[in-house]
Amino acid sequence: MAELATGTDLLDAIVGVAPGSALAALRAQRPEILRHSQGSHDVLLSPDDLGGLSLAERALVARLVAELAGHVALTAHYQALVDARGGLPDGPRVAAILAHAERLAIAPGSATRQHLAALQAVGLQARDIVALAQLVAFVAYQVRVAVGLALLAQEKAA
Amino acid sequence: MTRTAFTLEAVEWDPWLAPVEAETATPAQRAALDASPQANSAYFRTLAHDVDSLAERSPLFHSVMYVPRGLKRAERELATVVVSIINGCVYCSSVHARRFAELTKQPEVIRALYDQGLDTALPPRLRAIVDYAAKLTRAPVAMTVADLKPLREVGMDDLEILDLTNAAAMFANANRLMQTLGEPIVPETSS
């Protein structure tokens, strides 16, 4: 359940956009955005080449960002992904990754050069640090698109 | 973050990680950079460290900001400036404030947002855009269908609202990359 079937659009699933609905037709007017929103999700959550950031770490980060934003459905989705990937033992590496993810999610303007050094100290390479930032930034984007789509859906249902 | 840091001047960006260099870039990195707005910028060369995410993000960003029809380009730019002000992203706001000013010849709108804040007096359509982008940035899950009403009252259709949502959301993304992988260098002469 946690890993989406190939061809499934996560935002459609989260918002409940039914095939053939007015909202599906609206979204279809922006095909590149659909393709690369889902594509961003796929390469950040389930990349072919993980680099130094594991599948479980990626799922944990996404869950945290969705949870901090208060988005119930996305949090549940990523929690299921965490569970499917077996979770992770607590430790300094995961703590450092999650602390950085929280900072980027809540107060991106407070990040400093020293925070990247702290990630390097627990073994992250430049590529992993960029992937971590991209992942947090993607979920922040995804939450807001999901909210906007849901508002349009609610308005049409009213 | 004080409002006075925001500027209509060009701002540089200093990366905290050594960017990928053109000479040592892999073919995939080179292709992803060529598809980015500025292949030689330190920012995109930093993002090129994780090439697969850059290769998805650049066409996403391009479509959100420039895809034809729907919300006018200047209005997308305005939304991104609002988000960048709230998140404190001096670099992002500088770039997109200048694009708004170029497209509309109304730099005074940006100056009012910078100097007086997001509550400054604005024409109704710009007011509605600013309010929606601000709320989607600060408290997305607190939004209700009532938050669409001001957009409808100024005549926005579904596609315009979708485009506005995408633009504001894209800068929830952009601000988190730009501010956490490097820092702006603001010219001393900026006003």
Side-chain angles (χ1 to χ4, degrees), chain A residues 5-57:
Chain A
T6 304
T8 303
D9 184 287
L10 176 55
L11 280 163
D12 279 350
I14 291 292
V15 178
V17 179
S21 66
L23 204 52
L26 177 66
R27 292 199 77 206
Q29 293 187 62
R30 296 294 186 234
E32 290 295 303
I33 294 175
L34 294 194
R35 180 174 309 127
H36 296 294
S37 295
Q38 184 64 36
S40 293
H41 169 274
D42 295 346
V43 299
L44 289 165
L45 272 303
S46 308
D48 291 333
D49 178 0
L50 288 171
L53 213 53
S54 75
L55 287 172
E57 287 166 344

mmCIF file of all heavy atoms in Angstrom, chain A residues 5-57:
data_model
loop_
_atom_site.group_PDB
_atom_site.id
_atom_site.type_symbol
_atom_site.label_atom_id
_atom_site.label_comp_id
_atom_site.label_asym_id
_atom_site.label_seq_id
_atom_site.Cartn_x
_atom_site.Cartn_y
_atom_site.Cartn_z
ATOM 1 N N ALA A 5 1.368 2.369 -6.819
ATOM 2 C CA ALA A 5 1.444 1.624 -8.082
ATOM 3 C C ALA A 5 1.974 2.547 -9.175
ATOM 4 O O ALA A 5 1.729 3.754 -9.155
ATOM 5 C CB ALA A 5 0.067 1.098 -8.469
ATOM 6 N N THR A 6 2.710 1.988 -10.108
ATOM 7 C CA THR A 6 3.252 2.778 -11.220
ATOM 8 C C THR A 6 2.122 3.504 -11.936
ATOM 9 O O THR A 6 1.064 2.923 -12.199
ATOM 10 C CB THR A 6 3.982 1.844 -12.200
ATOM 11 O OG1 THR A 6 4.964 1.132 -11.471
ATOM 12 C CG2 THR A 6 4.644 2.638 -13.317
ATOM 13 N N GLY A 7 2.345 4.772 -12.237
ATOM 14 C CA GLY A 7 1.335 5.535 -12.962
ATOM 15 C C GLY A 7 0.359 6.272 -12.062
ATOM 16 O O GLY A 7 -0.425 7.077 -12.540
ATOM 17 N N THR A 8 0.403 6.004 -10.759
ATOM 18 C CA THR A 8 -0.482 6.707 -9.836
ATOM 19 C C THR A 8 0.077 8.094 -9.541
ATOM 20 O O THR A 8 1.264 8.246 -9.302
ATOM 21 C CB THR A 8 -0.597 5.941 -8.509
ATOM 22 O OG1 THR A 8 -1.061 4.628 -8.782
ATOM 23 C CG2 THR A 8 -1.562 6.632 -7.551
ATOM 24 N N ASP A 9 -0.784 9.098 -9.577
ATOM 25 C CA ASP A 9 -0.386 10.457 -9.206
ATOM 26 C C ASP A 9 -0.697 10.646 -7.727
ATOM 27 O O ASP A 9 -1.848 10.541 -7.309
ATOM 28 C CB ASP A 9 -1.138 11.482 -10.055
ATOM 29 C CG ASP A 9 -0.684 12.896 -9.757
ATOM 30 O OD1 ASP A 9 -1.032 13.433 -8.684
ATOM 31 O OD2 ASP A 9 0.042 13.459 -10.597
ATOM 32 N N LEU A 10 0.358 10.906 -6.937
ATOM 33 C CA LEU A 10 0.175 10.981 -5.488
ATOM 34 C C LEU A 10 -0.771 12.110 -5.093
ATOM 35 O O LEU A 10 -1.604 11.944 -4.205
ATOM 36 C CB LEU A 10 1.541 11.150 -4.794
ATOM 37 C CG LEU A 10 1.498 11.326 -3.288
ATOM 38 C CD1 LEU A 10 0.735 10.197 -2.601
ATOM 39 C CD2 LEU A 10 2.917 11.429 -2.726
ATOM 40 N N LEU A 11 -0.643 13.278 -5.743
ATOM 41 C CA LEU A 11 -1.522 14.391 -5.366
ATOM 42 C C LEU A 11 -2.986 14.072 -5.680
ATOM 43 O O LEU A 11 -3.875 14.403 -4.892
ATOM 44 C CB LEU A 11 -1.072 15.686 -6.053
ATOM 45 C CG LEU A 11 0.114 16.367 -5.363
ATOM 46 C CD1 LEU A 11 0.781 17.371 -6.285
ATOM 47 C CD2 LEU A 11 -0.335 17.048 -4.063
ATOM 48 N N ASP A 12 -3.243 13.413 -6.807
ATOM 49 C CA ASP A 12 -4.616 12.971 -7.091
ATOM 50 C C ASP A 12 -5.118 12.052 -5.975
ATOM 51 O O ASP A 12 -6.263 12.165 -5.516
ATOM 52 C CB ASP A 12 -4.676 12.195 -8.419
ATOM 53 C CG ASP A 12 -4.715 13.119 -9.638
ATOM 54 O OD1 ASP A 12 -4.892 14.334 -9.467
ATOM 55 O OD2 ASP A 12 -4.559 12.587 -10.758
ATOM 56 N N ALA A 13 -4.253 11.132 -5.549
ATOM 57 C CA ALA A 13 -4.649 10.172 -4.519
ATOM 58 C C ALA A 13 -4.911 10.872 -3.184
ATOM 59 O O ALA A 13 -5.894 10.578 -2.497
ATOM 60 C CB ALA A 13 -3.565 9.103 -4.359
ATOM 61 N N ILE A 14 -4.040 11.820 -2.832
ATOM 62 C CA ILE A 14 -4.157 12.513 -1.546
ATOM 63 C C ILE A 14 -5.398 13.395 -1.505
ATOM 64 O O ILE A 14 -6.118 13.453 -0.512
ATOM 65 C CB ILE A 14 -2.881 13.360 -1.287
ATOM 66 C CG1 ILE A 14 -1.669 12.450 -1.023
ATOM 67 C CG2 ILE A 14 -3.089 14.369 -0.159
ATOM 68 C CD1 ILE A 14 -1.740 11.671 0.267
ATOM 69 N N VAL A 15 -5.654 14.110 -2.597
ATOM 70 C CA VAL A 15 -6.768 15.061 -2.629
ATOM 71 C C VAL A 15 -8.076 14.359 -2.976
ATOM 72 O O VAL A 15 -9.156 14.868 -2.689
ATOM 73 C CB VAL A 15 -6.447 16.207 -3.628
ATOM 74 C CG1 VAL A 15 -7.600 17.194 -3.737
ATOM 75 C CG2 VAL A 15 -5.172 16.932 -3.215
ATOM 76 N N GLY A 16 -7.981 13.181 -3.605
ATOM 77 C CA GLY A 16 -9.179 12.488 -4.038
ATOM 78 C C GLY A 16 -9.714 13.031 -5.350
ATOM 79 O O GLY A 16 -10.917 13.231 -5.518
ATOM 80 N N VAL A 17 -8.805 13.301 -6.272
ATOM 81 C CA VAL A 17 -9.203 13.776 -7.602
ATOM 82 C C VAL A 17 -9.629 12.568 -8.423
ATOM 83 O O VAL A 17 -8.816 11.714 -8.753
ATOM 84 C CB VAL A 17 -8.038 14.508 -8.305
ATOM 85 C CG1 VAL A 17 -8.465 14.980 -9.690
ATOM 86 C CG2 VAL A 17 -7.550 15.688 -7.458
ATOM 87 N N ALA A 18 -10.913 12.502 -8.736
ATOM 88 C CA ALA A 18 -11.447 11.341 -9.462
ATOM 89 C C ALA A 18 -11.177 11.480 -10.950
ATOM 90 O O ALA A 18 -11.281 12.580 -11.499
ATOM 91 C CB ALA A 18 -12.942 11.217 -9.211
ATOM 92 N N PRO A 19 -10.852 10.361 -11.614
ATOM 93 C CA PRO A 19 -10.685 10.405 -13.073
ATOM 94 C C PRO A 19 -11.962 10.930 -13.717
ATOM 95 O O PRO A 19 -13.064 10.552 -13.319
ATOM 96 C CB PRO A 19 -10.442 8.933 -13.450
ATOM 97 C CG PRO A 19 -9.978 8.265 -12.189
ATOM 98 C CD PRO A 19 -10.642 9.006 -11.067
ATOM 99 N N GLY A 20 -11.806 11.839 -14.687
ATOM 100 C CA GLY A 20 -12.971 12.374 -15.378
ATOM 101 C C GLY A 20 -13.632 13.546 -14.672
ATOM 102 O O GLY A 20 -14.564 14.144 -15.211
ATOM 103 N N SER A 21 -13.182 13.885 -13.477
ATOM 104 C CA SER A 21 -13.780 15.010 -12.745
ATOM 105 C C SER A 21 -13.295 16.335 -13.320
ATOM 106 O O SER A 21 -12.316 16.398 -14.074
ATOM 107 C CB SER A 21 -13.407 14.919 -11.260
ATOM 108 O OG SER A 21 -12.010 15.101 -11.094
ATOM 109 N N ALA A 22 -13.984 17.416 -12.918
ATOM 110 C CA ALA A 22 -13.588 18.755 -13.369
ATOM 111 C C ALA A 22 -12.170 19.076 -12.897
ATOM 112 O O ALA A 22 -11.386 19.708 -13.616
ATOM 113 C CB ALA A 22 -14.574 19.784 -12.826
ATOM 114 N N LEU A 23 -11.840 18.625 -11.698
ATOM 115 C CA LEU A 23 -10.503 18.919 -11.164
ATOM 116 C C LEU A 23 -9.426 18.145 -11.932
ATOM 117 O O LEU A 23 -8.323 18.667 -12.174
ATOM 118 C CB LEU A 23 -10.459 18.576 -9.672
ATOM 119 C CG LEU A 23 -9.421 19.310 -8.832
ATOM 120 C CD1 LEU A 23 -9.505 20.819 -9.008
ATOM 121 C CD2 LEU A 23 -9.572 18.946 -7.362
ATOM 122 N N ALA A 24 -9.738 16.923 -12.328
ATOM 123 C CA ALA A 24 -8.789 16.157 -13.144
ATOM 124 C C ALA A 24 -8.564 16.859 -14.481
ATOM 125 O O ALA A 24 -7.423 16.949 -14.962
ATOM 126 C CB ALA A 24 -9.312 14.738 -13.365
ATOM 127 N N ALA A 25 -9.637 17.383 -15.064
ATOM 128 C CA ALA A 25 -9.512 18.099 -16.341
ATOM 129 C C ALA A 25 -8.694 19.379 -16.163
ATOM 130 O O ALA A 25 -7.893 19.752 -17.023
ATOM 131 C CB ALA A 25 -10.896 18.423 -16.900
ATOM 132 N N LEU A 26 -8.903 20.035 -15.033
ATOM 133 C CA LEU A 26 -8.131 21.247 -14.742
ATOM 134 C C LEU A 26 -6.645 20.917 -14.613
ATOM 135 O O LEU A 26 -5.790 21.560 -15.224
ATOM 136 C CB LEU A 26 -8.645 21.883 -13.447
ATOM 137 C CG LEU A 26 -7.884 23.123 -12.956
ATOM 138 C CD1 LEU A 26 -8.062 24.290 -13.934
ATOM 139 C CD2 LEU A 26 -8.338 23.519 -11.554
ATOM 140 N N ARG A 27 -6.342 19.918 -13.828
ATOM 141 C CA ARG A 27 -4.925 19.538 -13.645
ATOM 142 C C ARG A 27 -4.289 19.137 -14.971
ATOM 143 O O ARG A 27 -3.106 19.390 -15.193
ATOM 144 C CB ARG A 27 -4.809 18.380 -12.643
ATOM 145 C CG ARG A 27 -5.172 18.746 -11.210
ATOM 146 C CD ARG A 27 -4.594 17.730 -10.226
ATOM 147 N NE ARG A 27 -3.171 17.956 -10.024
ATOM 148 C CZ ARG A 27 -2.298 17.021 -9.649
ATOM 149 N NH1 ARG A 27 -2.701 15.790 -9.457
ATOM 150 N NH2 ARG A 27 -1.030 17.316 -9.480
ATOM 151 N N ALA A 28 -5.075 18.500 -15.836
ATOM 152 C CA ALA A 28 -4.543 18.020 -17.116
ATOM 153 C C ALA A 28 -4.128 19.165 -18.034
ATOM 154 O O ALA A 28 -3.399 18.950 -19.006
ATOM 155 C CB ALA A 28 -5.577 17.142 -17.814
ATOM 156 N N GLN A 29 -4.569 20.387 -17.718
ATOM 157 C CA GLN A 29 -4.134 21.539 -18.512
ATOM 158 C C GLN A 29 -2.693 21.919 -18.213
ATOM 159 O O GLN A 29 -2.131 22.804 -18.876
ATOM 160 C CB GLN A 29 -5.045 22.740 -18.254
ATOM 161 C CG GLN A 29 -6.458 22.543 -18.769
ATOM 162 C CD GLN A 29 -7.278 23.812 -18.637
ATOM 163 O OE1 GLN A 29 -6.959 24.839 -19.221
ATOM 164 N NE2 GLN A 29 -8.347 23.734 -17.862
ATOM 165 N N ARG A 30 -2.118 21.312 -17.199
ATOM 166 C CA ARG A 30 -0.728 21.613 -16.819
ATOM 167 C C ARG A 30 0.080 20.310 -16.774
ATOM 168 O O ARG A 30 0.581 19.893 -15.716
ATOM 169 C CB ARG A 30 -0.718 22.310 -15.444
ATOM 170 C CG ARG A 30 -1.418 23.680 -15.414
ATOM 171 C CD ARG A 30 -0.666 24.640 -16.261
ATOM 172 N NE ARG A 30 -1.133 26.023 -16.229
ATOM 173 C CZ ARG A 30 -1.441 26.689 -17.350
ATOM 174 N NH1 ARG A 30 -1.398 26.091 -18.528
ATOM 175 N NH2 ARG A 30 -1.772 27.949 -17.295
ATOM 176 N N PRO A 31 0.196 19.630 -17.944
ATOM 177 C CA PRO A 31 0.781 18.285 -17.955
ATOM 178 C C PRO A 31 2.242 18.236 -17.481
ATOM 179 O O PRO A 31 2.640 17.262 -16.827
ATOM 180 C CB PRO A 31 0.661 17.852 -19.424
ATOM 181 C CG PRO A 31 0.479 19.118 -20.201
ATOM 182 C CD PRO A 31 -0.260 20.053 -19.288
ATOM 183 N N GLU A 32 3.024 19.277 -17.804
ATOM 184 C CA GLU A 32 4.432 19.262 -17.372
ATOM 185 C C GLU A 32 4.529 19.348 -15.852
ATOM 186 O O GLU A 32 5.423 18.769 -15.233
ATOM 187 C CB GLU A 32 5.185 20.441 -17.998
ATOM 188 C CG GLU A 32 5.395 20.310 -19.497
ATOM 189 C CD GLU A 32 6.297 19.129 -19.834
ATOM 190 O OE1 GLU A 32 7.423 19.104 -19.333
ATOM 191 O OE2 GLU A 32 5.864 18.243 -20.585
ATOM 192 N N ILE A 33 3.607 20.095 -15.257
ATOM 193 C CA ILE A 33 3.619 20.235 -13.799
ATOM 194 C C ILE A 33 3.242 18.910 -13.143
ATOM 195 O O ILE A 33 3.877 18.486 -12.166
ATOM 196 C CB ILE A 33 2.687 21.395 -13.361
ATOM 197 C CG1 ILE A 33 3.264 22.717 -13.877
ATOM 198 C CG2 ILE A 33 2.507 21.406 -11.846
ATOM 199 C CD1 ILE A 33 2.393 23.932 -13.620
ATOM 200 N N LEU A 34 2.241 18.233 -13.711
ATOM 201 C CA LEU A 34 1.885 16.905 -13.185
ATOM 202 C C LEU A 34 3.073 15.955 -13.282
ATOM 203 O O LEU A 34 3.435 15.271 -12.313
ATOM 204 C CB LEU A 34 0.720 16.298 -13.984
ATOM 205 C CG LEU A 34 -0.636 16.972 -13.915
ATOM 206 C CD1 LEU A 34 -1.701 16.051 -14.482
ATOM 207 C CD2 LEU A 34 -0.975 17.320 -12.480
ATOM 208 N N ARG A 35 3.674 15.909 -14.460
ATOM 209 C CA ARG A 35 4.753 14.949 -14.721
ATOM 210 C C ARG A 35 5.938 15.183 -13.786
ATOM 211 O O ARG A 35 6.467 14.250 -13.188
ATOM 212 C CB ARG A 35 5.203 15.072 -16.183
ATOM 213 C CG ARG A 35 6.329 14.130 -16.583
ATOM 214 C CD ARG A 35 6.627 14.216 -18.080
ATOM 215 N NE ARG A 35 5.403 14.075 -18.853
ATOM 216 C CZ ARG A 35 4.988 14.920 -19.795
ATOM 217 N NH1 ARG A 35 5.718 15.973 -20.114
ATOM 218 N NH2 ARG A 35 3.863 14.708 -20.434
ATOM 219 N N HIS A 36 6.332 16.445 -13.649
ATOM 220 C CA HIS A 36 7.555 16.700 -12.882
ATOM 221 C C HIS A 36 7.303 16.867 -11.383
ATOM 222 O O HIS A 36 8.248 16.789 -10.603
ATOM 223 C CB HIS A 36 8.298 17.889 -13.482
ATOM 224 C CG HIS A 36 8.768 17.612 -14.878
ATOM 225 N ND1 HIS A 36 9.732 16.659 -15.156
ATOM 226 C CD2 HIS A 36 8.363 18.103 -16.076
ATOM 227 C CE1 HIS A 36 9.919 16.603 -16.472
ATOM 228 N NE2 HIS A 36 9.103 17.466 -17.048
ATOM 229 N N SER A 37 6.052 17.068 -10.977
ATOM 230 C CA SER A 37 5.743 16.990 -9.541
ATOM 231 C C SER A 37 5.864 15.538 -9.089
ATOM 232 O O SER A 37 6.529 15.229 -8.090
ATOM 233 C CB SER A 37 4.335 17.508 -9.247
ATOM 234 O OG SER A 37 4.236 18.882 -9.528
ATOM 235 N N GLN A 38 5.221 14.656 -9.843
ATOM 236 C CA GLN A 38 5.326 13.232 -9.504
ATOM 237 C C GLN A 38 6.764 12.745 -9.692
ATOM 238 O O GLN A 38 7.286 11.970 -8.883
ATOM 239 C CB GLN A 38 4.366 12.417 -10.374
ATOM 240 C CG GLN A 38 4.322 10.929 -10.026
ATOM 241 C CD GLN A 38 3.786 10.679 -8.624
ATOM 242 O OE1 GLN A 38 2.890 11.380 -8.154
ATOM 243 N NE2 GLN A 38 4.357 9.707 -7.934
ATOM 244 N N GLY A 39 7.411 13.237 -10.750
ATOM 245 C CA GLY A 39 8.802 12.833 -11.004
ATOM 246 C C GLY A 39 9.723 13.264 -9.886
ATOM 247 O O GLY A 39 10.622 12.507 -9.471
ATOM 248 N N SER A 40 9.517 14.470 -9.360
ATOM 249 C CA SER A 40 10.332 14.935 -8.235
ATOM 250 C C SER A 40 10.124 14.023 -7.029
ATOM 251 O O SER A 40 11.088 13.630 -6.351
ATOM 252 C CB SER A 40 9.962 16.370 -7.863
ATOM 253 O OG SER A 40 10.316 17.262 -8.900
ATOM 254 N N HIS A 41 8.869 13.717 -6.766
ATOM 255 C CA HIS A 41 8.560 12.798 -5.664
ATOM 256 C C HIS A 41 9.306 11.484 -5.847
ATOM 257 O O HIS A 41 9.948 10.977 -4.918
ATOM 258 C CB HIS A 41 7.056 12.547 -5.611
ATOM 259 C CG HIS A 41 6.646 11.443 -4.698
ATOM 260 N ND1 HIS A 41 6.615 10.121 -5.103
ATOM 261 C CD2 HIS A 41 6.282 11.439 -3.389
ATOM 262 C CE1 HIS A 41 6.246 9.372 -4.084
ATOM 263 N NE2 HIS A 41 6.031 10.140 -3.034
ATOM 264 N N ASP A 42 9.249 10.946 -7.036
ATOM 265 C CA ASP A 42 9.811 9.619 -7.265
ATOM 266 C C ASP A 42 11.336 9.617 -7.109
ATOM 267 O O ASP A 42 11.887 8.707 -6.485
ATOM 268 C CB ASP A 42 9.419 9.114 -8.659
ATOM 269 C CG ASP A 42 7.902 8.908 -8.790
ATOM 270 O OD1 ASP A 42 7.208 8.893 -7.751
ATOM 271 O OD2 ASP A 42 7.427 8.781 -9.928
ATOM 272 N N VAL A 43 12.009 10.628 -7.653
ATOM 273 C CA VAL A 43 13.482 10.614 -7.571
ATOM 274 C C VAL A 43 13.977 10.978 -6.170
ATOM 275 O O VAL A 43 15.111 10.663 -5.823
ATOM 276 C CB VAL A 43 14.164 11.532 -8.605
ATOM 277 C CG1 VAL A 43 13.808 11.093 -10.021
ATOM 278 C CG2 VAL A 43 13.857 12.986 -8.379
ATOM 279 N N LEU A 44 13.137 11.639 -5.375
ATOM 280 C CA LEU A 44 13.568 11.987 -4.013
ATOM 281 C C LEU A 44 13.209 10.899 -3.001
ATOM 282 O O LEU A 44 13.979 10.636 -2.078
ATOM 283 C CB LEU A 44 12.954 13.328 -3.587
ATOM 284 C CG LEU A 44 13.558 14.530 -4.322
ATOM 285 C CD1 LEU A 44 12.698 15.775 -4.158
ATOM 286 C CD2 LEU A 44 14.984 14.791 -3.828
ATOM 287 N N LEU A 45 12.056 10.242 -3.184
ATOM 288 C CA LEU A 45 11.641 9.212 -2.224
ATOM 289 C C LEU A 45 12.138 7.828 -2.604
ATOM 290 O O LEU A 45 12.387 7.000 -1.719
ATOM 291 C CB LEU A 45 10.110 9.202 -2.085
ATOM 292 C CG LEU A 45 9.481 10.125 -1.063
ATOM 293 C CD1 LEU A 45 10.032 9.873 0.334
ATOM 294 C CD2 LEU A 45 9.659 11.589 -1.410
ATOM 295 N N SER A 46 12.248 7.567 -3.885
ATOM 296 C CA SER A 46 12.620 6.224 -4.348
ATOM 297 C C SER A 46 13.603 6.294 -5.511
ATOM 298 O O SER A 46 13.327 5.797 -6.600
ATOM 299 C CB SER A 46 11.366 5.464 -4.795
ATOM 300 O OG SER A 46 10.371 5.481 -3.795
ATOM 301 N N PRO A 47 14.758 6.917 -5.297
ATOM 302 C CA PRO A 47 15.706 7.070 -6.414
ATOM 303 C C PRO A 47 16.330 5.739 -6.817
ATOM 304 O O PRO A 47 16.459 4.827 -6.000
ATOM 305 C CB PRO A 47 16.773 8.008 -5.839
ATOM 306 C CG PRO A 47 16.695 7.817 -4.361
ATOM 307 C CD PRO A 47 15.275 7.492 -4.046
ATOM 308 N N ASP A 48 16.706 5.658 -8.084
ATOM 309 C CA ASP A 48 17.428 4.467 -8.551
ATOM 310 C C ASP A 48 18.773 4.361 -7.839
ATOM 311 O O ASP A 48 19.220 3.275 -7.503
ATOM 312 C CB ASP A 48 17.652 4.548 -10.072
ATOM 313 C CG ASP A 48 16.346 4.418 -10.842
ATOM 314 O OD1 ASP A 48 15.409 3.787 -10.314
ATOM 315 O OD2 ASP A 48 16.259 4.965 -11.954
ATOM 316 N N ASP A 49 19.408 5.499 -7.668
ATOM 317 C CA ASP A 49 20.721 5.548 -7.004
ATOM 318 C C ASP A 49 20.561 6.379 -5.732
ATOM 319 O O ASP A 49 20.347 7.586 -5.794
ATOM 320 C CB ASP A 49 21.738 6.186 -7.960
ATOM 321 C CG ASP A 49 23.113 6.318 -7.327
ATOM 322 O OD1 ASP A 49 23.277 5.925 -6.148
ATOM 323 O OD2 ASP A 49 24.019 6.838 -8.000
ATOM 324 N N LEU A 50 20.635 5.703 -4.582
ATOM 325 C CA LEU A 50 20.334 6.372 -3.309
ATOM 326 C C LEU A 50 21.379 7.378 -2.880
ATOM 327 O O LEU A 50 21.095 8.258 -2.067
ATOM 328 C CB LEU A 50 20.222 5.320 -2.195
ATOM 329 C CG LEU A 50 18.997 4.422 -2.217
ATOM 330 C CD1 LEU A 50 19.165 3.316 -1.193
ATOM 331 C CD2 LEU A 50 17.751 5.238 -1.939
ATOM 332 N N GLY A 51 22.607 7.242 -3.376
ATOM 333 C CA GLY A 51 23.674 8.041 -2.786
ATOM 334 C C GLY A 51 23.818 7.648 -1.330
ATOM 335 O O GLY A 51 23.688 6.472 -0.982
ATOM 336 N N GLY A 52 24.026 8.632 -0.454
ATOM 337 C CA GLY A 52 24.258 8.342 0.961
ATOM 338 C C GLY A 52 23.050 8.586 1.842
ATOM 339 O O GLY A 52 23.186 8.729 3.058
ATOM 340 N N LEU A 53 21.860 8.665 1.253
ATOM 341 C CA LEU A 53 20.642 8.902 2.043
ATOM 342 C C LEU A 53 19.714 7.711 1.798
ATOM 343 O O LEU A 53 19.244 7.503 0.685
ATOM 344 C CB LEU A 53 19.986 10.208 1.572
ATOM 345 C CG LEU A 53 19.235 11.086 2.567
ATOM 346 C CD1 LEU A 53 20.065 11.430 3.797
ATOM 347 C CD2 LEU A 53 18.774 12.366 1.864
ATOM 348 N N SER A 54 19.461 6.933 2.847
ATOM 349 C CA SER A 54 18.748 5.663 2.666
ATOM 350 C C SER A 54 17.263 5.878 2.379
ATOM 351 O O SER A 54 16.714 6.965 2.618
ATOM 352 C CB SER A 54 18.906 4.802 3.922
ATOM 353 O OG SER A 54 18.086 5.301 4.965
ATOM 354 N N LEU A 55 16.612 4.822 1.920
ATOM 355 C CA LEU A 55 15.166 4.889 1.674
ATOM 356 C C LEU A 55 14.410 5.214 2.950
ATOM 357 O O LEU A 55 13.461 6.008 2.949
ATOM 358 C CB LEU A 55 14.675 3.554 1.099
ATOM 359 C CG LEU A 55 15.051 3.268 -0.353
ATOM 360 C CD1 LEU A 55 14.661 1.833 -0.718
ATOM 361 C CD2 LEU A 55 14.380 4.267 -1.299
ATOM 362 N N ALA A 56 14.819 4.590 4.060
ATOM 363 C CA ALA A 56 14.131 4.835 5.334
ATOM 364 C C ALA A 56 14.342 6.282 5.789
ATOM 365 O O ALA A 56 13.408 6.930 6.287
ATOM 366 C CB ALA A 56 14.641 3.859 6.398
ATOM 367 N N GLU A 57 15.561 6.792 5.619
ATOM 368 C CA GLU A 57 15.823 8.186 5.994
ATOM 369 C C GLU A 57 14.987 9.146 5.152
ATOM 370 O O GLU A 57 14.426 10.130 5.678
ATOM 371 C CB GLU A 57 17.320 8.498 5.843
ATOM 372 C CG GLU A 57 18.160 7.852 6.938
ATOM 373 C CD GLU A 57 19.656 7.852 6.652
ATOM 374 O OE1 GLU A 57 20.078 8.065 5.494
ATOM 375 O OE2 GLU A 57 20.424 7.599 7.602
#
